[in-house]
Every structure is written in C-alpha cells, then in structure tokens.
C-alpha cells in the first residue's frame, strides 16, 4: 500500500535514533523544532552548511535531536560559542537554539553584545517564561505575579521584553510567534536565513509541567487555545509595546527587519582600509588540519 | 510513530477540518494517540504535522494510483503507518 | 608537520614573555584568539590583534572571560587552532569552560599570566598561586596538561609545545606564565618555519558512515571532525557515549571519565618535560618552576659554593605532575626544597610523591616579588643537615 512508503518529512532532519525525546506531553519545544525543520525544507538550505548551538535547559536539548552538526554547550554560552564557530568558518549558517533563561539571564550579556556586533547568527529563543529544566524557577521573562518555585508568593520583578531588548541592542531581524503560529514561525525562520546579521525569533511556548500547572493555566492544549485567542498579529509593532503579561494579549509578528553591516563585513572593511594589500582573509588559512 | 505520541491533543484541536480524534486505544507509554475519524475531510495540509511536538503525525497529499481518483486524498498519518506495519 | 611560514617571525628578537608567547602561538598555527583585557596578560592578545590580520586569522575581544573561554572553542570546532589569555580573576571565570574543553575533548590553550591573588590582588605583580586552580579549578574529574616557562625564549618554544600537546591529546593545555616572565625582555630566537614541528589536528579521514565522534583507535584519543563537513556530529558537555550522544549512566560515566584521565596518564613520560641537574646522591634537590627556578638557580650556586651537594629539578611540565622522577630522586636524596610564589601548592605534590622517603621543605612566598636567593639558601642549608 502506498501509505506505507511515506515518511514524516521532518524525519531526515532529526536524530530518530534518539526518539522519543525527553520533552513532556504538551511541551511546545517539539513544535518549534517541527517548524524549524519545515523551514529548512522550504528554504532548501544546504544542511551541511548548518550548525546548531544550544545552551543548557529543556530547550538546550534541541541540539541533541537535530541531525546537523550540533553543539550542546554550557549554560548561557551558546552565543559566544556560536560566535567563534561563525568567525572561524564564515561559510557556516549558525543557528542558536536555546531557552529564555539561558539566553537572557546567565547569557544576557552575550545576547546584547552579539546583537551590538551584529554577528551573523540566527537565534531561536523558546520562551516558556520560566527555568524549566531545573524545576520551574523565576526567569527574567516570568510575568508579574506568576507563581514559580522560587517565587511562591508571586513574581514581583519586572520582566524583560526580549524583542525590545534585542532591537535596542542592534538586531536586524526580530520576530515573535507562539507555538500556535506554526506556519508564521516557519516562515520567519526562513526569512531569518535570508538575513545577514543578528536575527532573533522569540517563540512563546507552553511549559505545562512547571509554568502553566503551577499558575492554574491548564495544560499544553489550554495554553495553545489561549495563544490562539489572545494573540494579535501586529507586524512592525513598536517593540516597546509588546511586553507580556500572565493572561493578557500577546502581540506577535515581525517587529524589526532592517539592514546594517554584519560583524564580518565590518571587520573586513576595516582591515582592508587599514592594511590594504597586507590583509590576509581569515578563511584562507584558518583550517588547522592540513 | 504511534509510540512517540504523548496525546497532547494539538493535532486534534487544530486540524482545520476535524479529521482526527483521540482514540481510546493506548500506546505502550499509556497515551491515547489520535486516530482518523473523517478521512474524506483531510486536505493533507500537514498542520497536524507542524503542531505535533513529538513528530508522531503528519499529513501529506498522496499521489494517486488511478487517474480517475481526485488529486486530493486522505492524509497519511504516521499513526496509521505504524498501525499497519 | 612543519609550521606555516606565514605565522613564523624568523630571526633574533628582543621580546618580553607576553610577546614571545604570542609569536609562539602564531608559529604553532593559532589563527584565532578570543580575549578580555587583564593585566599582566593583555600584551599577548594586543600583539595577536596586530599580527594576525596579516597572517590570516581573527582576534575578537569578547565581553568577558566567560565568553572568551568558549568563543575560542567554537572556533576550534570551526577548524581553527585557538587560544585565550588571561590572569587570575579572568582565569577564575574560565573554569567552567576548561571543564567543557576537557569533556568535549576540544584542543585549545589557556594562557594564564599569574599575578598575586586572591581576588583582584596584585594586578601588576607576580605570583604562582594558580597552580592548583589550573589542575583542579573546574568541577569533576578530569586531566589537563600545564606547562611553566621561565624565560621569554621558553614563552615562545613552550607555547608551541602547548598547542602540540593540545592537538595530540585533544585536551586543554594551561600555559602557566607569571608576571615577571611575561614582562621580562630577553633575546628570543625564532627559527625558520621548516625547523618548527607542529602537530596537526587529529582530523578524521573516515567516511561519514564510519565515523564515530568519540570512538577511539586504541590510544584513547578520538579523531575530530569540524562543523560544515557533512559528519553531522553532536558535541555535548553531558556524559556521552561514542556517538557523542548524552548517555547518563554510571557505566558510560566510568568509561568516559577514565578514558579522559588515562589518555593523559598513559602518555605521562612523553608529556613530562624536566630540566635536571642532579648528580649522584645529592643531599638536597631544589624543585622549582617558572620564574622561581631562576632565583633558585642562584641559591643553588650559592649553596654549592659552600660545598653543599645540591641538585636542581625544574618542572617544565607541572601537570600531570611528574611524580615518577620525584619518587626516583627521593630514594637517593635526603630532602627536597620547593620554593614557589604561593604559600604551598606544588610542594604538596612533591611531598606526596616523596612519600616519606625524603623530607620536603617548602619555601613559601605570598607573591608580589620573587624570592630572595638567600631565603631559599637558608632552607637548603637547613634541609641538608
Ligand atoms: C552555570 C550553570 N548554572 C546553573 C545551571 C542549572 N540550569 C540548568 S538549565 C537552567 C535554566 C534553564 O532555563 P531556560 O534557559 O529558560 O530553558 P528551559 O529549561 O526553560 O527550556 C539552569 C538554571 C547550569 N546548568 N549551569
Ligand atoms: S519541563 Fe516544561 S519546558 Fe521542560 S520539557 Fe517539560 S513542559 Fe517542556
Ligand atoms: S500525534 Fe502529536 S499532536 Fe497529536 S496528540 Fe499525539 S503527540 Fe499530540
Ligand atoms: S493533514 Fe489532514 S488531518 Fe492533518 S491537519 Fe491537515 S486536514 Fe487535518
């Protein structure tokens, strides 16, 4: 029967020998990976040119499940690792795939500096509003009043509005979607591949096990329904106005799409200007094995 | 593939034409995977595939054997594939 | 293989240790450095930043040492030979990534130009108080190699050696300079490129289907692939199996961590570099390393002038600790004297290796200057009684 010949189109992008994955039922991380794989299919990008770098966390485990050159680094340091990878081999398309805590708390300094330098990285930030891997503690993204294991009476700290942060720091492409917006997310990832420079895609994603449950917000499916109901697509929305609350509206869309020379172009231009003929392109000699 | 399903219900909820429903059967992990209840309504749009966090289901437009058959046919879900194999 | 001539500044120079270290890195084939400024180490990367664009490579000043110490590892997996340079406070921030390099078997070099600590301590003055940190600073069981130069010439020569060891064993190598060695200026001879032996990356030649990222060929050191070559490999700091996949079981942990240790231990004779001046049955052997060995040399001469039988053992390789040689000497020597610019670090290792066969005397110094030869002499005299 023909039905037996077909396989899931994302299969070639996954380490199927490592399935099933560790993520909980109703966790949104797998959905984001699904969209990522579909963006790869659609963009027809050469898979050999891709490298994916993760930090530590539930989202950090993405690196272990994609069939790409993949690096599961240390907590918060995916971006600087990716920076070294990209600078040593500029031909690589380097994706950073990590959690909100990893990228904006312990790794927050690297996030803003990579955006400032405009390093050509595609950052996919799965924002489940919490530190999930360690059991549901407060993150810099946790909305006000939310209960977490380290804010048992509710979070009082103001949260980071990530699109606003990375736009201010210099990112050339900034979008936000939820795991409900699968087609839009896949399209955004595809668009980021077309950009040269620091691109940042935030994906709001359920963590039913630790965030939703503790805040009596239901399970993964309830959260997806909330995303469907309360999301408003506003392309080009001023990022200062897209902050999140626990149960309010979620502004999604492509917020920033601009051009600015990326780090390697700037470096090249500076060296050519200052050194002229005596400048030797790094890519000509960098490989250490011949 | 049916074994990968964790019964989150995303595919069932967001199938635009309500092709799927969670079944009463269990997989070996104790979850109720979805099954196809209205195959004729499936457009092969693959939204179920995009939503599935566990890579357990997907939709596809199948090439059809007979010229006469309509080009749009039932979705092939991995769930079904798994059940038959 | 021979050094790439583009990176080799052949000739006779007058350089300080920091600049000589940079030239050693370039000669060894390092084409990437990530750093964060800190006295007294910054001159190494300042020179690199100026030299490497003309050689074909990249320097990036990162936002902190946490970043620098992992950016360089990204560059290694991108195909480069890479290093970072720091001093005390920065070295402390790099510890997690030394463990990451050990666990993922990322060949790279960490240069620590030691200054007085703890904390901000003595930014512009010497110490040798990071020796234990270099060995044990990251959490968990692991092995590293640490080399200690005592002159600008050695800053050049041994930096090449550090890169060579890192590539041969796929291990992070600590290059333990100190402020005095870093800032003293002496003659440095850089030979022609064809006289400099460099160890290339252990790059796999296997087909994609046959390649096991953490499988070994018996010597305990796996072959490496670089990103972008089609191997689609996975690297993780989690306990992993031969595929590089996380596998968090006691059995996998045991196998992996023992291999990481054994690949160094099994080669300890080859890794051990010593400078020795011991005749038969000395009364005292002075064990020293780095800048202190030069002060100790004076003390040894003074003691010999007084008719004392004093030998000298200089540790060029400090880690893995050359305990075999200490054990041998302990059988024929009355005592070891160990001057160092700390309040007692490597002396513990000497004492442990001597295992009561010979007595061990520390000559501690809190750092900020070098010892006075007389202070070492005093202990030699006491030890030879
Ligand atoms: C240096 C360090 N500090 C703390 C941890 C513990 N830790 C692991 S994951 C994590 C938080 C992850 O949160 P996030 O990045 O939001 O990812 P999620 O698990 O929510 O996907 C923490 C604190 C660690 N691994 N390393
Ligand atoms: S704890 Fe939360 S983020 Fe982690 S796998 Fe479970 S649902 Fe997903
Ligand atoms: S097939 Fe996938 S989306 Fe559907 S219920 Fe199972 S896990 Fe959820
Ligand atoms: S492919 Fe078929 S079953 Fe899947 S979402 Fe589309 S219509 Fe529904």
């Amino acid at each position: 029967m023909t039905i037996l010949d077909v396989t899931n189109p994302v299969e070639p992008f996954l380490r199927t020998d490592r399935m099933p994955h560790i993520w909980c039922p109703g966790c949104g991380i797998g959905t984001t990976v699904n969209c990522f794989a579909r963006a790869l299919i659609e963009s027809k990008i050469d898979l050999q040119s891709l490298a994916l770098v993760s930090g530590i966390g539930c989202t950090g485990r993405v690196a272990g499940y994609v069939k790409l050159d993949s690096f599961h680094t240390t907590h918060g340091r995916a971006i600087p690792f990716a920076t070294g990878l990209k600078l040593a081999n500029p031909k690589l398309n380097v994706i950073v795939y990590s959690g909100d805590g990893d990228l904006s708390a312990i790794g927050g300094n690297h996030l803003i500096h990579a955006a400032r330098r405009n390093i050509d990285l595609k950052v996919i930030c799965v924002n489940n509003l919490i530190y999930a891997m360690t059991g549901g503690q407060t993150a810099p993204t946790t909305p006000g009043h939310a209960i977490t294991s380290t804010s048992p009476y509710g979070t009082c700290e103001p949260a980071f509005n990530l699109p606003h942060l990375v736009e201010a720091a210099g990112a050339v492409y900034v979008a936000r979607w939820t795991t409900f917006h699968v087609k839009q997310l896949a399209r955004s990832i595809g668009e980021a591949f077309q950009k040269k420079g620091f691109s940042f895609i935030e994906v709001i994603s359920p963590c039913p096990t630790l965030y939703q449950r503790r805040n009596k917000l239901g399970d993964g499916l309830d959260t997806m329904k909330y995303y469907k109901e309360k999301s408003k697509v506003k392309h080009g929305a001023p990022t200062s106005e897209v902050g999140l609350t626990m149960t309010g509206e979620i502004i999604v869309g492509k917020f920033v799409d601009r051009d600015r020379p990326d780090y390697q172009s700037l470096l090249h231009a500076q060296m050519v200007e200052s050194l002229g003929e005596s400048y030797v392109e790094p890519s000509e000699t960098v490989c250490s094995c011949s | 593939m049916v074994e990968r399903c964790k019964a989150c219900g995303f595919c069932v909820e967001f199938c635009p034409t309500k092709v799927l429903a969670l079944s009463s059967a269990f997989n070996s992990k104790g979850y109720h995977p979805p099954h196809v209840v209205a195959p004729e309504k499936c457009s092969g749009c693959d939204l179920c595939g995009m939503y599935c966090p566990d890579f357990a289901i997907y939709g596809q437009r199948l090439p059809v054997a007979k010229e006469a058959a309509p080009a749009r046919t039932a979705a092939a879900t991995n769930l079904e594939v798994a059940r038959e194999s | 293989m021979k050094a790439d001539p583009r990176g080799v500044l052949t000739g006779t120079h007058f350089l300080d240790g920091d600049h000589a270290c940079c030239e050693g890195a370039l000669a060894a084939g390092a084409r990437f450095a990530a750093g964060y400024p800190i006295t007294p180490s910054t001159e190494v990367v300042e020179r690199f930043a100026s030299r490497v664009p003309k050689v074909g490579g990249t320097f990036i000043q990162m936002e902190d040492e946490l970043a620098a110490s992992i950016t360089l590892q990204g560059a290694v997996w991108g195909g480069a030979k890479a290093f970072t340079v720091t001093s005390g406070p920065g070295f402390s921030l790099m510890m997690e990534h030394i463990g990451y390099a050990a666990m993922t078997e990322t060949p790279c070099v960490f240069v620590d130009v030691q200054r007085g600590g703890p904390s901000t301590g003595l930014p512009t003055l010497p110490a040798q108080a990071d020796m234990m940190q270099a060995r044990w600073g990251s959490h968990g069981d692991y092995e590293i190699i640490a080399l200690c130069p005592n002159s600008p010439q050695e800053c050049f020569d041994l930096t090449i050696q550090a890169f060579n060891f890192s590539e041969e064993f796929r291990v992070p190598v600590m290059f333990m300079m100190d402020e005095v060695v870093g800032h003293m200026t002496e003659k440095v001879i850089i030979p022609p490129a064809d006289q400099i032996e460099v160890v290339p990356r252990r790059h796999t030649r296997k087909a994609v289907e046959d390649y096991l990222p953490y499988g070994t060929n018996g010597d305990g050191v796996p072959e490496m692939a670089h990103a972008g070559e089609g191997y689609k490999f996975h690297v993780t700091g989690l306990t992993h199996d031969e595929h590089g996949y996380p596998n968090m079981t006691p059995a996998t942990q045991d196998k992996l961590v023992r291999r990481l240790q054994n690949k160094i231990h099994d080669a300890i004779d080859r890794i051990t570099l010593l400078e020795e001046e011991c005749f038969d049955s000395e009364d005292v052997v002075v064990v020293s390393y780095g800048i202190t060995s030069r002060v100790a040399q004076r003390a040894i001469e003074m003691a010999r002038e007084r008719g004392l039988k004093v030998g000298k053992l200089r540790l060029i390789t400090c880690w893995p600790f050359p305990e075999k040689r200490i054990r041998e000497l302990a059988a024929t020597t009355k005592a070891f004297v160990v001057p160092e610019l700390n309040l007692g670090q490597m002396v513990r290792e000497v004492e442990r290796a001597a295992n009561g066969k010979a007595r061990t005397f520390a000559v501690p110094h809190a750092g900020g200057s070098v010892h006075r030869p007389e202070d070492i002499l005093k202990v030699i005299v006491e030890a030879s009684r």
Side-chain angles (χ1 to χ4, degrees):
Chain A
M1 224 178 135
T2 37
I3 207 164
L4 290 171
D5 298 335
V6 294
T7 52
N8 191 332
V10 298
E11 217 86 327
F13 301 87
L14 301 173
R15 298 187 202 275
T16 45
D17 50 341
R18 299 208 57 228
M19 297 291 160
H21 56 56
I22 59 159
W23 298 311
C24 308
C27 173
I29 298 171
T31 302
T32 71
V33 174
N34 224 326
C35 297
F36 172 69
R38 278 163 168 87
L40 297 185
I41 298 173
E42 233 125 89
S43 62
K44 300 199 173 56
I45 198 159
D46 173 17
L47 293 187
Q48 189 166 326
S49 78
L50 288 176
L52 188 144
V53 185
S54 289
I56 302 294
C58 292
T59 313
R61 291 302 195 88
V62 168
Y65 294 120
V66 291
K67 205 189 278 176
L68 299 171
D69 291 331
S70 56
F71 301 91
H72 183 225
T73 62
T74 54
H75 193 27
R77 320 298 168 203
I79 286 178
F81 185 99
T83 299
L85 196 57
K86 178 71 186 173
L87 294 185
N89 184 351
K91 288 191 215 96
L92 291 173
N93 286 298
V94 183
I95 302 129
V96 171
Y97 211 125
S98 215
D100 50 294
D102 184 83
L103 288 167
S104 78
I106 189 167
N109 200 27
H110 313 311
L111 179 70
I112 57 175
H113 285 283
R116 170 182 66 80
R117 293 185 184 107
N118 202 20
I119 303 267
D120 186 15
L121 301 176
K122 325 294 163 202
V123 181
I124 299 172
C125 172
V126 176
N127 184 357
N128 51 19
L129 311 173
I130 203 149
Y131 285 177
M133 178 61 100
T134 40
Q137 296 81 17
T138 310
T141 46
T142 306
H145 314 298
I147 308 279
T148 72
S149 70
T150 48
S151 61
Y153 308 112
T155 307
C156 65
E157 289 183 19
F160 260 152
N161 167 353
L162 294 178
H164 191 41
L165 178 71
V166 294
E167 180 188 14
V172 292
Y173 183 94
V174 182
R176 173 198 280 159
W177 299 104
T178 75
T179 45
F180 169 71
H181 300 89
V182 286
K183 294 235 155 166
Q184 295 93 324
L185 172 58
R187 200 178 313 126
S188 258
I189 296 172
E191 280 179 14
F193 279 124
Q194 302 304 315
K195 296 292 291 185
K196 203 167 166 59
F198 192 84
S199 303
F200 185 86
I201 300 172
E202 180 186 26
V203 195
I204 311 297
S205 173
C207 169
T209 309
L210 297 164
Y211 180 76
Q212 268 78 23
R213 200 184 45 179
R214 222 174 240 136
N215 286 288
K216 304 199 167 48
L217 296 169
D219 62 8
L221 184 57
D222 294 322
T223 309
M224 293 288 273
K225 288 180 190 163
Y226 156 62
Y227 293 163
K228 182 179 176 185
E229 193 186 322
K230 289 288 183 78
S231 297
K232 217 176 234 157
V233 180
K234 277 195 197 165
H235 294 300
T239 54
S240 58
E241 294 168 14
V242 305
L244 298 168
T245 56
M246 201 157 70
T247 51
E249 197 171 70
I250 303 173
I251 310 290
V252 296
K254 178 166 79 177
F255 303 137
V256 178
D257 189 349
R258 60 186 171 185
D259 289 308
R260 195 160 83 79
D262 76 303
Y263 179 84
Q264 275 159 313
S265 311
L266 291 168
L267 180 70
H268 180 86
Q270 184 70 51
M271 291 301 169
V272 169
E273 186 190 319
S274 304
L275 293 177
E277 295 279 280
S278 52
Y279 177 50
V280 180
E281 284 286 342
S283 48
E284 288 172 24
T285 56
V286 82
C287 186
S288 56
C289 48
S290 54
Chain B
M1 299 304 146
V2 74
E3 292 303 332
R4 287 189 196 160
C5 173
K6 293 176 189 155
C8 65
F10 292 2
C11 58
V12 174
E13 176 71 23
F14 298 117
C15 167
T17 48
K18 302 290 168 222
V19 173
L20 305 164
L22 290 184
S23 68
S24 52
F26 290 101
N27 67 14
S28 67
K29 294 256 156 57
Y31 295 114
H32 296 292
H35 65 155
V36 178
V37 292
E40 71 290 352
K41 290 198 204 150
C42 175
S43 66
C45 69
D46 193 30
L47 265 181
C48 52
M50 291 188 85
Y51 277 112
C52 179
D54 292 270
F55 318 108
I57 189 171
Y58 66 98
Q60 199 176 59
R61 281 165 219 225
L62 288 175
V64 282
K66 287 192 193 130
E67 289 298 319
R72 215 189 59 192
T73 76
T77 68
N78 267 336
L79 295 154
E80 283 198 334
V81 174
R83 212 175 290 154
E84 291 185 27
S85 55
Chain C
M1 92 188 202
K2 302 297 173 196
D4 168 8
R6 271 175 293 198
V8 183
L9 204 65
T10 304
T12 302
H13 308 269
F14 206 50
L15 294 177
D16 73 16
D18 281 357
H19 288 86
C21 168
C22 171
E23 289 305 328
L26 285 165
R31 294 294 179 269
F32 189 94
Y36 189 82
I38 186 164
T39 305
S41 71
T42 316
E43 292 91 329
V44 184
V45 289
E46 284 172 342
R47 188 178 179 103
F48 195 80
S50 133
R51 286 266 287 130
V52 81
K54 300 176 203 162
V55 172
T58 306
F59 168 70
I60 183 166
Q61 181 176 318
M62 294 305 290
E63 48 274 14
D64 54 34
E65 288 87 350
L66 301 163
S69 56
I70 194 89
T71 301
L72 81 97
Q73 299 188 45
V76 170
W77 287 98
K81 281 191 183 179
F83 71 119
T84 189
V85 181
T86 191
S87 186
F91 199 48
S92 290
L93 290 185
M94 292 182 177
M95 287 301 133
E96 185 182 9
H97 291 149
I98 290 171
Y100 187 75
M103 187 62 147
T104 56
E105 300 179 74
T106 302
C108 54
V109 174
F110 290 78
V111 178
D112 176 14
V113 187
Q114 296 172 86
R115 66 190 223 183
S119 191
T120 313
L122 300 168
T124 61
L125 297 171
Q128 296 177 308
D130 306 349
M131 297 307 296
M132 284 292 166
Q133 185 184 26
R135 171 65 186 85
W136 300 107
S138 200
H139 55 281
D141 282 316
Y142 63 100
E143 286 284 331
I144 48 86
I145 295 172
L147 304 180
C148 261
N150 79 350
S151 67
Q153 181 68 52
E154 278 198 352
C155 288
F156 176 81
D157 297 334
L158 293 178
T159 298
I160 299 172
Q161 184 65 66
F163 276 95
N164 285 352
F165 279 152
S166 80
E167 295 293 341
E168 183 176 353
F169 298 103
R170 284 189 61 178
V171 71
V173 176
M174 308 298 117
F175 196 61
M176 304 303 287
M177 295 169 52
D178 57 70
E179 186 275 333
V180 178
V181 162
H183 284 161
M184 67 165 35
T185 300
E186 287 182 345
K187 187 167 87 174
V188 174
I189 297 171
I190 300 183
D194 62 8
Q195 289 172 26
I196 298 175
E197 214 35 69
V198 302
V199 174
R201 181 133 310 158
R202 281 180 174 252
H203 194 284
T204 188
R205 291 180 200 285
K206 292 200 173 114
V208 170
E209 322 72 82
D210 301 331
Y211 178 57
L212 256 187
Y214 287 92
T216 66
N217 298 324
D219 61 356
V221 188
E223 292 174 348
M224 210 169 155
H226 294 145
E229 297 171 336
Y231 287 93
K232 296 184 184 167
F233 57 86
H234 182 56
V235 172
T236 178
L238 288 169
T239 295
H240 46 271
D241 60 18
E242 296 187 334
H243 297 273
Y245 290 168
N247 184 330
M248 287 158 283
T249 60
T252 310
Q253 167 78 359
D254 187 79
K255 190 169 167 208
L256 175 62
V257 175
R258 283 186 196 278
R259 180 174 65 72
L260 295 180
Q261 185 167 76
N262 289 341
K263 71 176 179 180
I264 305 299
H265 274 188
D266 293 350
I268 192 164
D269 288 343
R270 204 144 42 85
I271 298 169
T272 298
L273 304 173
L274 300 169
E275 185 192 325
E276 202 174 323
E277 211 180 85
C278 290
F279 314 100
D280 269 342
S281 56
E282 263 76 18
D283 288 334
V284 173
V285 173
V286 178
V287 181
S288 63
Y289 56 93
I291 189 59
T292 307
S293 65
R294 294 175 67 151
V295 185
Q297 182 67 36
R298 179 76 197 110
I300 290 166
E301 283 158 13
M302 287 156 73
R304 285 179 185 158
E305 280 160 21
R306 295 182 174 203
L308 298 176
K309 286 170 74 183
V310 183
K312 153 178 133 181
L313 183 69
R314 174 160 76 95
L315 311 181
I316 297 170
T317 302
C318 281
W319 302 112
F321 186 72
E323 58 185 79
K324 190 167 122 195
R325 189 62 191 132
I326 299 285
R327 221 181 303 125
E328 288 163 2
L329 288 170
T332 57
T333 304
K334 269 201 239 162
F336 293 107
V337 169
V338 189
E340 48 185 345
L341 291 181
N342 57 56
L343 297 186
Q345 295 195 11
M346 299 309 283
V347 67
R348 293 163 184 253
E349 289 295 297
V350 175
E351 193 165 15
R352 184 179 61 78
N355 197 21
K357 301 275 182 342
R359 288 184 305 158
T360 306
F361 293 78
V363 191
H365 187 304
S369 68
V370 295
H371 290 80
R372 293 186 318 145
E374 297 75 28
D375 294 338
I376 301 173
L377 176 66
K378 219 166 83 190
V379 182
I380 294 174
V381 171
E382 184 191 334
S384 59
R385 275 200 205 109

